[in-house]
Amino acid sequence: METAFERADSITPCPIGADGLCCKNCSMGPCRLVGKTDRGVCGATIATVAARNFARAVTVGAASHSDHGRDMAYTLLEAAEGHAPDYGVRDPYKLMEVADFLDVPTKDEEGERRPINDIARDVALAALGEFGKVRGEFYYRKRAPAKRQEIWESLGITPRNIDREIVDLLHRTHIGNDQDAEHILDQTLRCALGDGWGGSMLGTDISDILFGTPAPVRSQANLGVLSEDKVNIIIHGHEPTLSEMIVAAAMDPEMIEYAKSKGAKGIQMSGICCTANETVMRQGVPLAGNFLQQELAILT
Ligand code: SF4
């Protein structure tokens, strides 16, 4: 079986790509800015092309991590409205904290605590609103220290909403749009802040609401956690919505009996990559390794 390490040995990294000097953002290219060529067909400079390439890498990362946050908000909404009975609010204190950040009232007009699922539903809807807020700036900027928010304001890079900054940055990197490398990088910062303090932060906070806020636990790590005489199940990916349910199913006595009926001594859960981090810090599920070790786990 071939592994990532063997493929890395057989591939020579492209030096033009490594410096971000190849642009294929329109069909007049691809333009390779090497040797005496310092501008693309459209006139884009080396700095502009390198900035565009970096910006596109940031938009992809921001989109994938923020969309994870959006999925967590939809899971909370489904749970609060009673459509996902296996999920629910496990950390009500965290729910109240997040409600405060999102300007969601936690008490009714008489000063009584609102029903927990009503608050959870409004938190989920407010979180989803952060992705496409029509006016102003996103609420979750309040998650950052006041001084940090002032710096963003002074630089004009406070995110308006999560999706808008991703789309705006992609728009700028297309041919005939923003040609100024520094200007492209300013928007790259704004996009990254929308993800880091918005989409990704919401993903983390809502995971805590749904699955519990992590506390120190003892566990084990590396490929030695795989068991010779149990059924090994490795959870892998970057969304905890499914992995938390697999952990619950693997602890079901009926499932353990089924594994035993086939000659195994039980079920050994472990994790790889991001979702492994989610389950090790909340459930103590052992960590088999990182992304690069996935093929090694199958080989083992
Ligand atoms: S956008 Fe400009 S530099 Fe990029 S491929 Fe088109 S012509 Fe070449």
Side-chain angles (χ1 to χ4, degrees):
M1 183 176 165
E2 187 186 81
T3 68
F5 302 98
E6 286 158 338
R7 289 191 292 277
D9 282 343
S10 67
I11 294 172
T12 307
C14 168
I16 302 162
D19 287 341
L21 300 181
C22 177
C23 180
K24 49 187 173 64
N25 291 7
C26 86
S27 54
M28 291 197 292
C31 299
R32 297 196 308 169
L33 306 192
V34 291
K36 290 183 181 161
T37 309
D38 61 0
R39 284 174 191 267
V41 174
C42 67
T45 63
I46 287 174
T48 302
V49 167
R52 282 174 177 170
N53 283 330
F54 179 65
R56 287 193 170 206
V58 171
T59 58
V60 173
S64 62
H65 287 288
S66 287
D67 212 35
H68 164 192
R70 185 187 340 246
D71 275 341
M72 299 312 299
Y74 272 119
T75 305
L76 182 62
L77 183 61
E78 292 288 298
E81 291 184 337
H83 306 308
D86 291 331
Y87 299 88
V89 173
R90 269 200 216 157
D91 188 341
Y93 300 103
K94 185 73 181 239
L95 177 68
M96 300 307 150
E97 197 184 347
V98 173
D100 190 41
F101 288 128
L102 291 170
D103 277 2
V104 170
T106 55
K107 294 188 176 165
D108 61 20
E109 285 168 2
E110 276 81 46
E112 297 295 321
R113 166 68 43 80
R114 298 174 64 210
I116 203 91
N117 277 340
D118 288 2
I119 300 172
R121 180 200 58 219
D122 291 351
V123 162
L125 290 171
L128 290 168
E130 292 284 78
F131 288 84
K133 196 156 188 267
V134 177
R135 285 205 178 96
E137 293 157 346
F138 72 162
Y139 288 117
Y140 243 49
R141 68 187 187 285
K142 290 187 282 183
R143 214 52 178 81
K147 189 162 184 192
R148 183 64 36 198
Q149 294 177 50
E150 284 168 23
I151 293 170
W152 299 345
E153 280 302 316
S154 69
L155 295 173
I157 56 170
T158 304
R160 291 158 290 184
N161 68 54
I162 299 158
D163 288 349
R164 175 79 194 273
E165 306 312 349
I166 293 169
V167 172
D168 185 318
L169 187 51
L170 281 172
H171 182 174
R172 279 168 200 271
T173 61
H174 194 41
I175 182 174
N177 286 276
D178 198 339
Q179 299 287 334
D180 185 292
E182 277 193 40
H183 204 217
I184 293 169
L185 294 176
D186 284 345
Q187 177 59 23
T188 305
L189 288 169
R190 202 179 198 186
C191 172
L193 292 173
D195 171 42
W197 289 93
S200 285
M201 191 72 83
L202 280 165
T204 300
D205 284 347
I206 297 174
S207 294
D208 289 348
I209 293 170
L210 286 167
F211 306 121
T213 300
V217 290
R218 291 184 78 90
S219 191
Q220 292 179 304
N222 81 34
L223 290 171
V225 304
L226 297 174
S227 171
E228 275 186 45
D229 48 17
K230 292 181 182 170
V231 174
N232 289 287
I233 298 178
I234 299 181
I235 40 184
H236 187 6
H238 87 149
E239 304 226 10
T241 325
L242 176 62
S243 56
E244 289 284 338
M245 290 301 126
I246 294 174
V247 173
M251 291 191 290
D252 186 329
E254 198 182 328
M255 294 295 282
I256 295 169
E257 275 313 306
Y258 184 68
K260 287 181 177 172
S261 76
K262 302 293 176 190
K265 286 192 174 164
I267 299 173
Q268 175 63 53
M269 291 295 303
S270 57
I272 277 184
C273 203
C274 316
T275 203
N277 186 49
E278 301 269 0
T279 50
V280 70
M281 68 185 178
R282 292 199 176 89
Q283 326 278 1
V285 171
L287 186 82
N290 65 24
F291 181 81
L292 285 173
Q293 290 169 289
Q294 54 193 324
E295 289 153 329
L296 302 183
I298 293 170
L299 278 170
T300 305

